[in-house]
mmCIF file of all heavy atoms in Angstrom:
data_model
loop_
_atom_site.group_PDB
_atom_site.id
_atom_site.type_symbol
_atom_site.label_atom_id
_atom_site.label_comp_id
_atom_site.label_asym_id
_atom_site.label_seq_id
_atom_site.Cartn_x
_atom_site.Cartn_y
_atom_site.Cartn_z
ATOM 1 N N HIS A 27 47.515 60.185 26.888
ATOM 2 C CA HIS A 27 46.279 59.543 27.182
ATOM 3 C C HIS A 27 45.192 60.420 27.871
ATOM 4 O O HIS A 27 43.993 59.999 27.848
ATOM 5 C CB HIS A 27 46.568 58.332 28.141
ATOM 6 C CG HIS A 27 47.486 57.343 27.582
ATOM 7 N ND1 HIS A 27 47.124 56.390 26.592
ATOM 8 C CD2 HIS A 27 48.847 57.122 27.825
ATOM 9 C CE1 HIS A 27 48.148 55.651 26.331
ATOM 10 N NE2 HIS A 27 49.178 56.059 27.023
ATOM 11 N N ILE A 28 45.544 61.528 28.423
ATOM 12 C CA ILE A 28 44.610 62.366 29.191
ATOM 13 C C ILE A 28 44.267 63.673 28.535
ATOM 14 O O ILE A 28 43.063 64.033 28.559
ATOM 15 C CB ILE A 28 45.184 62.634 30.617
ATOM 16 C CG1 ILE A 28 45.501 61.307 31.351
ATOM 17 C CG2 ILE A 28 44.219 63.479 31.425
ATOM 18 C CD1 ILE A 28 44.293 60.457 31.606
ATOM 19 N N ILE A 29 45.189 64.316 27.879
ATOM 20 C CA ILE A 29 44.895 65.544 27.180
ATOM 21 C C ILE A 29 44.056 65.185 25.945
ATOM 22 O O ILE A 29 44.375 64.339 25.149
ATOM 23 C CB ILE A 29 46.114 66.302 26.735
ATOM 24 C CG1 ILE A 29 46.860 66.838 28.003
ATOM 25 C CG2 ILE A 29 45.785 67.459 25.798
ATOM 26 C CD1 ILE A 29 48.201 67.501 27.680
ATOM 27 N N ASP A 30 42.891 65.884 25.814
ATOM 28 C CA ASP A 30 42.002 65.668 24.692
ATOM 29 C C ASP A 30 42.467 66.613 23.521
ATOM 30 O O ASP A 30 42.030 67.802 23.557
ATOM 31 C CB ASP A 30 40.576 65.909 25.086
ATOM 32 C CG ASP A 30 39.546 65.513 23.994
ATOM 33 O OD1 ASP A 30 39.949 65.391 22.844
ATOM 34 O OD2 ASP A 30 38.396 65.392 24.307
ATOM 35 N N SER A 31 43.251 66.121 22.607
ATOM 36 C CA SER A 31 43.789 66.979 21.582
ATOM 37 C C SER A 31 42.698 67.395 20.586
ATOM 38 O O SER A 31 42.869 68.402 19.850
ATOM 39 C CB SER A 31 44.954 66.219 20.805
ATOM 40 O OG SER A 31 44.508 65.011 20.275
ATOM 41 N N LYS A 32 41.558 66.637 20.548
ATOM 42 C CA LYS A 32 40.527 66.978 19.588
ATOM 43 C C LYS A 32 39.522 67.992 20.176
ATOM 44 O O LYS A 32 39.183 68.987 19.553
ATOM 45 C CB LYS A 32 39.738 65.691 19.197
ATOM 46 C CG LYS A 32 38.606 65.937 18.269
ATOM 47 C CD LYS A 32 37.857 64.618 17.916
ATOM 48 C CE LYS A 32 36.642 64.869 17.052
ATOM 49 N NZ LYS A 32 35.895 63.662 16.676
ATOM 50 N N ASN A 33 39.033 67.685 21.405
ATOM 51 C CA ASN A 33 37.950 68.496 21.973
ATOM 52 C C ASN A 33 38.397 69.423 23.095
ATOM 53 O O ASN A 33 37.595 70.257 23.625
ATOM 54 C CB ASN A 33 36.863 67.556 22.480
ATOM 55 C CG ASN A 33 36.166 66.849 21.401
ATOM 56 O OD1 ASN A 33 35.838 67.378 20.351
ATOM 57 N ND2 ASN A 33 35.834 65.530 21.602
ATOM 58 N N GLY A 34 39.666 69.316 23.452
ATOM 59 C CA GLY A 34 40.193 70.285 24.490
ATOM 60 C C GLY A 34 40.129 69.742 25.889
ATOM 61 O O GLY A 34 39.392 68.778 26.201
ATOM 62 N N GLU A 35 40.865 70.402 26.778
ATOM 63 C CA GLU A 35 40.958 70.072 28.185
ATOM 64 C C GLU A 35 41.504 68.690 28.409
ATOM 65 O O GLU A 35 42.145 68.109 27.518
ATOM 66 C CB GLU A 35 39.604 70.266 28.911
ATOM 67 C CG GLU A 35 39.581 71.254 30.065
ATOM 68 C CD GLU A 35 40.046 70.715 31.357
ATOM 69 O OE1 GLU A 35 40.360 69.496 31.503
ATOM 70 O OE2 GLU A 35 40.118 71.573 32.324
ATOM 71 N N TRP A 36 41.324 68.143 29.589
ATOM 72 C CA TRP A 36 41.781 66.760 29.957
ATOM 73 C C TRP A 36 40.579 65.871 30.117
ATOM 74 O O TRP A 36 39.572 66.360 30.676
ATOM 75 C CB TRP A 36 42.627 66.844 31.250
ATOM 76 C CG TRP A 36 43.925 67.534 31.186
ATOM 77 C CD1 TRP A 36 44.319 68.485 30.250
ATOM 78 C CD2 TRP A 36 45.000 67.382 32.077
ATOM 79 N NE1 TRP A 36 45.542 68.968 30.555
ATOM 80 C CE2 TRP A 36 46.054 68.305 31.656
ATOM 81 C CE3 TRP A 36 45.210 66.610 33.203
ATOM 82 C CZ2 TRP A 36 47.223 68.451 32.361
ATOM 83 C CZ3 TRP A 36 46.385 66.728 33.899
ATOM 84 C CH2 TRP A 36 47.430 67.616 33.446
ATOM 85 N N VAL A 37 40.636 64.676 29.696
ATOM 86 C CA VAL A 37 39.536 63.759 29.948
ATOM 87 C C VAL A 37 39.566 63.319 31.401
ATOM 88 O O VAL A 37 40.537 63.582 32.121
ATOM 89 C CB VAL A 37 39.652 62.527 29.005
ATOM 90 C CG1 VAL A 37 39.605 62.897 27.576
ATOM 91 C CG2 VAL A 37 40.904 61.688 29.288
ATOM 92 N N TRP A 38 38.477 62.751 31.785
ATOM 93 C CA TRP A 38 38.345 62.281 33.208
ATOM 94 C C TRP A 38 39.447 61.213 33.471
ATOM 95 O O TRP A 38 40.085 61.297 34.527
ATOM 96 C CB TRP A 38 36.974 61.677 33.428
ATOM 97 C CG TRP A 38 36.733 61.228 34.888
ATOM 98 C CD1 TRP A 38 37.242 60.121 35.463
ATOM 99 C CD2 TRP A 38 35.971 61.908 35.843
ATOM 100 N NE1 TRP A 38 36.842 60.060 36.721
ATOM 101 C CE2 TRP A 38 36.050 61.188 37.005
ATOM 102 C CE3 TRP A 38 35.218 63.091 35.849
ATOM 103 C CZ2 TRP A 38 35.411 61.548 38.210
ATOM 104 C CZ3 TRP A 38 34.549 63.509 37.030
ATOM 105 C CH2 TRP A 38 34.677 62.714 38.147
ATOM 106 N N GLY A 39 39.581 60.234 32.554
ATOM 107 C CA GLY A 39 40.493 59.236 32.773
ATOM 108 C C GLY A 39 40.395 58.089 31.769
ATOM 109 O O GLY A 39 39.595 58.186 30.845
ATOM 110 N N VAL A 40 41.196 57.042 31.966
ATOM 111 C CA VAL A 40 41.114 55.852 31.107
ATOM 112 C C VAL A 40 40.988 54.618 31.930
ATOM 113 O O VAL A 40 41.446 54.590 33.088
ATOM 114 C CB VAL A 40 42.377 55.783 30.202
ATOM 115 C CG1 VAL A 40 42.430 56.905 29.213
ATOM 116 C CG2 VAL A 40 43.689 55.693 31.048
ATOM 117 N N HIS A 41 40.358 53.599 31.334
ATOM 118 C CA HIS A 41 40.145 52.277 32.014
ATOM 119 C C HIS A 41 41.499 51.569 31.953
ATOM 120 O O HIS A 41 42.472 51.958 31.361
ATOM 121 C CB HIS A 41 39.100 51.518 31.299
ATOM 122 C CG HIS A 41 37.719 52.080 31.437
ATOM 123 N ND1 HIS A 41 37.012 52.067 32.636
ATOM 124 C CD2 HIS A 41 36.913 52.750 30.538
ATOM 125 C CE1 HIS A 41 35.837 52.715 32.490
ATOM 126 N NE2 HIS A 41 35.724 53.098 31.197
ATOM 127 N N ALA A 42 41.446 50.392 32.558
ATOM 128 C CA ALA A 42 42.694 49.526 32.655
ATOM 129 C C ALA A 42 43.198 49.176 31.270
ATOM 130 O O ALA A 42 44.430 49.050 31.043
ATOM 131 C CB ALA A 42 42.382 48.239 33.430
ATOM 132 N N ASP A 43 42.328 49.064 30.245
ATOM 133 C CA ASP A 43 42.759 48.714 28.934
ATOM 134 C C ASP A 43 43.136 49.974 28.106
ATOM 135 O O ASP A 43 43.401 49.872 26.880
ATOM 136 C CB ASP A 43 41.630 47.923 28.233
ATOM 137 C CG ASP A 43 40.346 48.709 28.018
ATOM 138 O OD1 ASP A 43 40.316 49.918 28.442
ATOM 139 O OD2 ASP A 43 39.386 48.126 27.455
ATOM 140 N N GLY A 44 43.092 51.120 28.710
ATOM 141 C CA GLY A 44 43.501 52.389 28.022
ATOM 142 C C GLY A 44 42.344 53.121 27.335
ATOM 143 O O GLY A 44 42.539 54.166 26.783
ATOM 144 N N SER A 45 41.124 52.541 27.383
ATOM 145 C CA SER A 45 40.038 53.140 26.720
ATOM 146 C C SER A 45 39.442 54.290 27.606
ATOM 147 O O SER A 45 39.627 54.312 28.776
ATOM 148 C CB SER A 45 38.897 52.154 26.471
ATOM 149 O OG SER A 45 38.393 51.571 27.690
ATOM 150 N N LEU A 46 38.835 55.258 26.910
ATOM 151 C CA LEU A 46 38.339 56.450 27.565
ATOM 152 C C LEU A 46 37.161 56.140 28.550
ATOM 153 O O LEU A 46 36.325 55.303 28.242
ATOM 154 C CB LEU A 46 37.808 57.377 26.525
ATOM 155 C CG LEU A 46 37.093 58.697 26.987
ATOM 156 C CD1 LEU A 46 38.101 59.609 27.666
ATOM 157 C CD2 LEU A 46 36.430 59.367 25.828
ATOM 158 N N MET A 47 37.138 56.755 29.685
ATOM 159 C CA MET A 47 36.046 56.668 30.601
ATOM 160 C C MET A 47 34.981 57.680 30.161
ATOM 161 O O MET A 47 34.770 58.722 30.746
ATOM 162 C CB MET A 47 36.510 57.062 32.020
ATOM 163 C CG MET A 47 37.573 56.069 32.560
ATOM 164 S SD MET A 47 38.243 56.443 34.218
ATOM 165 C CE MET A 47 36.811 56.186 35.233
ATOM 166 N N ALA A 48 34.319 57.255 29.055
ATOM 167 C CA ALA A 48 33.437 58.155 28.245
ATOM 168 C C ALA A 48 32.213 58.598 29.035
ATOM 169 O O ALA A 48 31.612 59.644 28.683
ATOM 170 C CB ALA A 48 33.150 57.546 26.879
ATOM 171 N N HIS A 49 31.819 57.834 30.035
ATOM 172 C CA HIS A 49 30.603 58.177 30.757
ATOM 173 C C HIS A 49 30.799 59.262 31.802
ATOM 174 O O HIS A 49 29.852 59.808 32.348
ATOM 175 C CB HIS A 49 30.099 56.937 31.467
ATOM 176 C CG HIS A 49 31.057 56.402 32.523
ATOM 177 N ND1 HIS A 49 32.287 55.804 32.220
ATOM 178 C CD2 HIS A 49 30.987 56.405 33.885
ATOM 179 C CE1 HIS A 49 32.877 55.459 33.300
ATOM 180 N NE2 HIS A 49 32.143 55.830 34.282
ATOM 181 N N GLU A 50 32.003 59.656 31.990
ATOM 182 C CA GLU A 50 32.354 60.693 33.000
ATOM 183 C C GLU A 50 32.298 62.069 32.292
ATOM 184 O O GLU A 50 32.277 62.201 31.104
ATOM 185 C CB GLU A 50 33.732 60.406 33.553
ATOM 186 C CG GLU A 50 33.889 59.101 34.291
ATOM 187 C CD GLU A 50 33.100 59.064 35.640
ATOM 188 O OE1 GLU A 50 32.486 60.096 36.005
ATOM 189 O OE2 GLU A 50 33.199 58.048 36.356
ATOM 190 N N ASP A 51 32.369 63.039 33.185
ATOM 191 C CA ASP A 51 32.227 64.457 32.705
ATOM 192 C C ASP A 51 33.555 65.011 32.122
ATOM 193 O O ASP A 51 34.667 64.646 32.625
ATOM 194 C CB ASP A 51 31.769 65.380 33.814
ATOM 195 C CG ASP A 51 30.377 65.028 34.349
ATOM 196 O OD1 ASP A 51 29.558 64.507 33.557
ATOM 197 O OD2 ASP A 51 30.127 65.292 35.512
ATOM 198 N N LYS A 52 33.481 65.945 31.208
ATOM 199 C CA LYS A 52 34.568 66.846 30.923
ATOM 200 C C LYS A 52 34.477 68.067 31.799
ATOM 201 O O LYS A 52 35.461 68.615 32.190
ATOM 202 C CB LYS A 52 34.504 67.209 29.420
ATOM 203 C CG LYS A 52 35.544 68.267 28.985
ATOM 204 C CD LYS A 52 36.981 67.669 28.886
ATOM 205 C CE LYS A 52 37.148 66.677 27.815
ATOM 206 N NZ LYS A 52 37.169 67.208 26.441
ATOM 207 N N VAL A 53 33.302 68.515 32.111
ATOM 208 C CA VAL A 53 32.965 69.580 33.020
ATOM 209 C C VAL A 53 31.837 69.054 33.908
ATOM 210 O O VAL A 53 30.897 68.432 33.407
ATOM 211 C CB VAL A 53 32.522 70.874 32.344
ATOM 212 C CG1 VAL A 53 31.959 71.910 33.365
ATOM 213 C CG2 VAL A 53 33.632 71.475 31.569
ATOM 214 N N GLY A 54 31.909 69.245 35.270
ATOM 215 C CA GLY A 54 30.863 68.755 36.095
ATOM 216 C C GLY A 54 31.097 69.118 37.537
ATOM 217 O O GLY A 54 31.986 69.871 37.890
ATOM 218 N N ILE A 55 30.269 68.540 38.402
ATOM 219 C CA ILE A 55 30.350 68.796 39.874
ATOM 220 C C ILE A 55 31.738 68.625 40.328
ATOM 221 O O ILE A 55 32.272 69.367 41.227
ATOM 222 C CB ILE A 55 29.370 67.874 40.620
ATOM 223 C CG1 ILE A 55 27.916 68.225 40.370
ATOM 224 C CG2 ILE A 55 29.633 67.895 42.091
ATOM 225 C CD1 ILE A 55 27.424 69.468 41.125
ATOM 226 N N TRP A 56 32.403 67.604 39.841
ATOM 227 C CA TRP A 56 33.788 67.306 40.228
ATOM 228 C C TRP A 56 34.869 67.605 39.244
ATOM 229 O O TRP A 56 36.029 67.726 39.584
ATOM 230 C CB TRP A 56 33.921 65.790 40.645
ATOM 231 C CG TRP A 56 33.147 65.490 41.863
ATOM 232 C CD1 TRP A 56 31.967 64.819 41.970
ATOM 233 C CD2 TRP A 56 33.523 65.839 43.187
ATOM 234 N NE1 TRP A 56 31.563 64.763 43.276
ATOM 235 C CE2 TRP A 56 32.488 65.345 44.066
ATOM 236 C CE3 TRP A 56 34.595 66.508 43.750
ATOM 237 C CZ2 TRP A 56 32.510 65.521 45.432
ATOM 238 C CZ3 TRP A 56 34.603 66.712 45.129
ATOM 239 C CH2 TRP A 56 33.556 66.266 45.967
ATOM 240 N N LYS A 57 34.468 67.758 38.012
ATOM 241 C CA LYS A 57 35.533 67.938 36.887
ATOM 242 C C LYS A 57 35.662 69.385 36.682
ATOM 243 O O LYS A 57 34.861 70.073 36.047
ATOM 244 C CB LYS A 57 35.045 67.175 35.643
ATOM 245 C CG LYS A 57 36.070 67.260 34.535
ATOM 246 C CD LYS A 57 37.442 66.534 34.871
ATOM 247 C CE LYS A 57 38.258 66.267 33.638
ATOM 248 N NZ LYS A 57 38.596 67.438 32.938
ATOM 249 N N CYS A 58 36.780 69.948 37.183
ATOM 250 C CA CYS A 58 37.019 71.322 37.251
ATOM 251 C C CYS A 58 38.411 71.715 36.821
ATOM 252 O O CYS A 58 39.279 70.849 36.723
ATOM 253 C CB CYS A 58 36.815 71.815 38.684
ATOM 254 S SG CYS A 58 35.383 71.107 39.592
ATOM 255 N N PRO A 59 38.688 73.019 36.533
ATOM 256 C CA PRO A 59 40.055 73.405 36.134
ATOM 257 C C PRO A 59 40.944 73.688 37.275
ATOM 258 O O PRO A 59 41.534 74.757 37.476
ATOM 259 C CB PRO A 59 39.821 74.684 35.310
ATOM 260 C CG PRO A 59 38.658 75.300 36.051
ATOM 261 C CD PRO A 59 37.816 74.170 36.537
ATOM 262 N N TYR A 60 41.060 72.736 38.214
ATOM 263 C CA TYR A 60 41.775 72.980 39.504
ATOM 264 C C TYR A 60 43.032 72.115 39.573
ATOM 265 O O TYR A 60 44.151 72.629 39.593
ATOM 266 C CB TYR A 60 40.807 72.656 40.619
ATOM 267 C CG TYR A 60 41.434 72.273 41.952
ATOM 268 C CD1 TYR A 60 42.157 73.193 42.743
ATOM 269 C CD2 TYR A 60 41.233 70.992 42.439
ATOM 270 C CE1 TYR A 60 42.684 72.829 43.952
ATOM 271 C CE2 TYR A 60 41.766 70.634 43.737
ATOM 272 C CZ TYR A 60 42.476 71.560 44.445
ATOM 273 O OH TYR A 60 43.011 71.189 45.644
ATOM 274 N N HIS A 61 42.868 70.823 39.576
ATOM 275 C CA HIS A 61 44.090 69.949 39.722
ATOM 276 C C HIS A 61 45.076 70.206 38.540
ATOM 277 O O HIS A 61 46.247 70.360 38.788
ATOM 278 C CB HIS A 61 43.690 68.528 39.703
ATOM 279 C CG HIS A 61 42.926 68.054 40.891
ATOM 280 N ND1 HIS A 61 43.544 67.835 42.143
ATOM 281 C CD2 HIS A 61 41.609 67.780 41.124
ATOM 282 C CE1 HIS A 61 42.651 67.506 43.038
ATOM 283 N NE2 HIS A 61 41.501 67.430 42.443
ATOM 284 N N ASN A 62 44.565 70.253 37.300
ATOM 285 C CA ASN A 62 45.519 70.370 36.162
ATOM 286 C C ASN A 62 46.060 71.765 36.053
ATOM 287 O O ASN A 62 47.271 71.973 35.777
ATOM 288 C CB ASN A 62 44.855 69.896 34.881
ATOM 289 C CG ASN A 62 43.517 70.454 34.543
ATOM 290 O OD1 ASN A 62 43.027 71.356 35.320
ATOM 291 N ND2 ASN A 62 42.943 70.052 33.465
#
């Protein structure tokens, strides 16, 4: 659910129904290559 096999890296997350939190960043102020 989190690894983006098409576009790379990890997505921000998923909603309760499993859909992508598409409005969030792949790279941004908070989305960084740190936690993963």
Side-chain angles (χ1 to χ4, degrees):
H27 301 284
I28 301 297
I29 292 176
D30 188 341
S31 57
K32 178 182 177 182
N33 293 318
E35 240 276 357
W36 295 19
V37 301
W38 183 285
V40 293
H41 294 288
D43 63 1
S45 61
L46 175 68
M47 298 176 69
H49 63 290
E50 299 287 1
D51 296 332
K52 176 72 69 70
V53 170
I55 289 285
W56 291 106
K57 185 63 165 57
C58 318
Y60 155 68
H61 291 285
N62 51 2

